[in-house]
Amino acid sequence: MAQQLDIDLSTIFDNIDERQVEFTGEVDGDEYEFAVKYGVLEALSGEAPEDDAELRFNEFIDVLRDAALNALSRNSDVPIIVVSENDLDQ
């Protein structure tokens, strides 16, 4: 059975300083912290986020959910799982 990531929508946060959107997600009863780099949002939308990173995140949430699962499968033993452009291709 494929894993499913449930994103806690109340935790979505645009970390402007780190140029990433952060969120908490749950997989199989375990919570993980994720960060989606702005480059991922740019790859999906075709333009760099400015003040709309959270809106773009929500626009592509289904694709980002799958990418976050790919990132989790790479490494689940870090405090924050970083979702990169490479996770889109898997």
Side-chain angles (χ1 to χ4, degrees):
M1 171 165 44
Q3 290 183 327
Q4 181 175 336
L5 170 64
D6 293 318
I7 296 174
D8 181 349
L9 300 177
S10 69
T11 65
I12 297 171
F13 168 72
D14 183 7
N15 185 336
I16 297 167
D17 294 335
E18 297 293 324
R19 298 190 43 80
Q20 62 192 21
V21 176
E22 301 173 2
F23 66 94
T24 302
E26 183 180 316
V27 178
D28 296 332
D30 294 321
E31 279 196 354
Y32 299 93
E33 299 297 320
F34 293 90
V36 175
K37 292 296 194 180
Y38 278 12
V40 175
L41 298 173
E42 183 175 358
L44 290 170
S45 69
E47 52 189 25
E50 292 180 21
D51 339 354
D52 61 348
E54 284 185 51
L55 290 172
R56 289 183 195 219
F57 179 92
N58 287 316
E59 181 179 349
F60 296 103
I61 196 164
D62 292 331
V63 174
L64 294 170
R65 183 178 288 117
D66 291 339
L69 281 171
N70 290 336
L72 177 64
S73 70
R74 262 190 301 106
N75 189 359
S76 62
D77 294 333
V78 293
I80 189 160
I81 297 160
V82 177
V83 180
S84 71
E85 293 169 56
N86 293 334
D87 297 311
L88 296 172
D89 299 330
Q90 298 180 3

